[in-house]
């Protein structure tokens, strides 16, 4: 069976972009067709300045939301990254395989590093090396497919390069994975800046729909969404990014086609109202289920414990094999 690995960082509250771009497909497709592992990748949240208590809180919230969205522990493996030591063990071996230059070319390192310097902050080494940890996340499980958005494709390409390089140097050890891309609404944009991705760690939440936003908050944010000059409702990502974003969100919520939906509207107001109604209807069951699960944190902890045990059973033989291959003396 095809093996899938994907993770989500607890760097902020999960958003509509996370759900439409990744989580819904995990629930509706991936956990049914493959041996699927999904992780709250909390180690990745440590690459920038952070509040430890907030990371713990958001890690639990993310796991609870993934269960509320419909991930079924009987069908897939859900766990927290730091609960499986093999991620950190393998990451160092891959650091010994990666080159400084290829890590410095990573777009996210350039962007986040520049932002840190502009704020007068130091740039942590982990910000440079975290794509290697991401590669370890993937390669430890013999992963075949990695569902990602366009902004993460570069990291999967690095993972492939590291796997091939390690295999060539030390003997075949890793499966070489491939990136897969979900269909429409894979990249939901900020409602206040439709040229920027709807990111969960953005400082200003006015353009972000969080999965736990109350319905009136969702409606207010969508009704205040930035549109474009002119009055025509047309689907054109380049010329009309604001309207295109609303049409893609509506299409993703209703199963329609963005271009076809555009022809049904004569005003931005009507489009915003229908989009708000569709998002509220989509998220209401998820919010209700989250409230039920959050009332019983022990049950969530048990799911994560069992998930980590299953993940460890898969990863340990792969990482042990990599240790032997690279020349480390086995422990007795």
């Amino acid at each position: 069976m095809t093996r899938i690995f994907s993770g989500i960082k607890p760097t902020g509250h999960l958003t509509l972009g996370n759900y439409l771009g990744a989580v819904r497909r995990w629930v509706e497709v991936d956990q049914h067709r493959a041996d699927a592992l999904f992780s709250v990748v909390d180690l990745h949240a440590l690459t920038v300045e952070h509040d430890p208590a907030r990371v713990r809180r958001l890690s639990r919230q993310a796991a609870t939301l993934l269960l509320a969205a419909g991930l079924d522990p009987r069908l897939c493996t859900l766990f927290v990254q730091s609960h499986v030591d093999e991620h950190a063990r393998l990451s160092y071996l891959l650091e010994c395989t990666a080159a400084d230059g290829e890590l410095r070319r990573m777009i996210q390192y350039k962007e986040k590093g520049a932002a840190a310097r502009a704020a007068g902050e130091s740039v942590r080494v982990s910000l440079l090396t975290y794509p290697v940890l991401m590669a370890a996340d993937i390669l430890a499980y013999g992963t075949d497919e990695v569902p990602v958005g366009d902004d993460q494709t570069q990291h999967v390409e690095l993972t492939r390069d590291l796997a091939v390089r390690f295999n060539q140097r030390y003997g075949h050890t890793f499966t070489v994975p491939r990136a897969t891309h979900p269909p429409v609404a894979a990249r939901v944009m900020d409602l206040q800046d439709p040229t920027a991705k709807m990111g969960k760690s953005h400082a200003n939440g006015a353009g972000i729909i969080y999965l736990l936003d109350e319905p009136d908050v969702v409606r207010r944010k969508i009704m205040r969404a930035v549109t474009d000059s002119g009055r025509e409702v047309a689907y054109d990502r380049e010329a009309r990014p604001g309207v295109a974003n609303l049409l893609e969100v509506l299409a993703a919520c209703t199963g329609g086609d963005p271009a076809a939906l555009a022809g049904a509207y004569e005003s931005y107001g009507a489009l915003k109202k229908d989009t708000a109604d569709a998002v509220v209807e989509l998220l209401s069951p998820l919010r209700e289920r989250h409230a039920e699960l959050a009332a019983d944190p022990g049950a969530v902890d048990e799911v994560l414990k069992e998930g980590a045990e299953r993940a460890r059973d898969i990863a340990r033989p792969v990482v042990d094999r990599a240790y032997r291959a690279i020349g480390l003396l086995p422990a007795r």
Side-chain angles (χ1 to χ4, degrees):
M1 182 180 288
T2 299
R3 179 165 290 155
I4 290 174
F5 176 91
S6 198
I8 199 156
K9 287 192 293 186
T11 51
H13 301 286
L14 299 192
T15 72
L16 180 66
N18 297 130
Y19 181 73
L20 294 179
V23 175
R24 186 168 67 172
R25 181 175 176 82
W26 297 355
V27 170
E28 296 180 353
V29 179
D30 291 338
Q31 69 173 341
H32 298 283
R33 73 176 180 87
D35 180 8
L37 297 101
F38 303 111
S39 182
V40 178
V41 286
D42 53 344
L43 294 176
H44 289 293
L46 310 184
T47 60
V48 295
E49 190 65 31
H50 63 276
D51 173 12
R54 186 171 187 265
V55 171
R56 283 191 291 270
R57 184 170 64 252
L58 290 177
S59 296
R60 177 181 293 281
Q61 183 186 90
T64 306
L65 278 168
L66 292 176
L67 291 170
L71 286 187
D72 186 341
R74 297 168 297 182
L75 300 175
C76 67
T77 301
L78 175 64
F79 66 102
V80 174
Q81 177 192 32
S82 64
H83 295 177
V84 180
D85 293 344
E86 278 63 34
H87 292 255
R89 288 181 63 208
L90 181 56
S91 183
Y92 182 72
L93 299 196
L94 296 179
E95 285 184 15
C96 296
T97 308
D100 172 80
E102 61 190 344
L103 297 182
R104 293 187 184 278
R105 287 194 294 272
M106 295 289 109
I107 293 171
Q108 290 201 21
Y109 171 72
K110 292 180 179 179
E111 293 177 347
K112 292 183 178 181
R117 294 184 191 97
E121 300 172 356
S122 60
V123 180
R124 302 184 183 195
V125 172
S126 57
L127 187 62
L128 177 66
T129 60
Y130 97 88
V132 179
L133 176 58
M134 182 182 292
D137 299 337
I138 295 166
L139 297 180
Y141 297 100
T143 303
D144 299 297
E145 295 182 7
V146 188
V148 291
D150 294 339
D151 59 328
Q152 293 293 334
T153 300
Q154 187 184 36
H155 291 149
V156 179
E157 288 304 313
L158 174 67
T159 301
R160 290 172 54 85
D161 290 344
L162 294 179
V164 169
R165 191 178 306 156
F166 192 101
N167 289 346
Q168 289 175 341
R169 289 179 180 175
Y170 308 115
H172 183 77
T173 305
F174 299 119
T175 299
V176 180
R178 61 185 180 276
T180 58
H181 303 281
V184 71
R187 192 171 172 83
V188 179
M189 312 307 279
D190 191 291
L191 296 173
Q192 292 299 312
D193 180 6
T195 63
K197 180 182 176 182
M198 185 181 284
K200 56 183 176 294
S201 55
H202 198 284
N204 180 6
I208 303 171
I209 303 296
Y210 297 106
L211 296 185
L212 295 179
D213 276 346
E214 296 289 341
D216 61 331
V217 174
V218 172
R219 294 183 192 279
R220 183 167 64 250
K221 288 180 178 179
I222 293 177
M223 294 307 294
R224 293 178 179 175
V226 169
T227 49
D228 311 291
S229 59
R231 297 179 179 275
E232 182 186 5
V233 178
Y235 181 62
D236 187 331
R237 261 194 172 275
E238 296 299 321
R240 297 177 178 273
V243 172
N245 189 37
L246 291 171
L247 287 167
E248 289 200 352
V249 169
L250 179 60
C253 291
T254 62
D257 174 78
L261 286 170
Y265 293 96
E266 297 181 356
S267 71
Y268 294 158
L271 171 60
K272 288 180 175 180
K273 181 181 182 302
D274 283 359
T275 302
D277 288 344
V279 172
V280 168
E281 183 177 353
L282 180 75
L283 297 185
S284 290
L286 187 153
R287 289 178 57 254
E288 292 171 5
R289 178 60 177 152
H290 174 269
E292 294 173 0
L293 290 168
D296 187 7
V300 176
D301 286 344
E302 189 62 26
V303 168
L304 296 177
K305 178 184 176 183
E306 292 178 0
E309 290 172 352
R310 290 201 298 270
R312 198 175 299 115
D313 287 344
I314 297 171
R316 182 164 292 167
V318 177
V319 178
D320 285 349
R321 186 165 67 245
Y323 267 57
R324 291 193 299 271
I326 206 170
L328 297 178
L329 189 67
R332 299 297 183 186

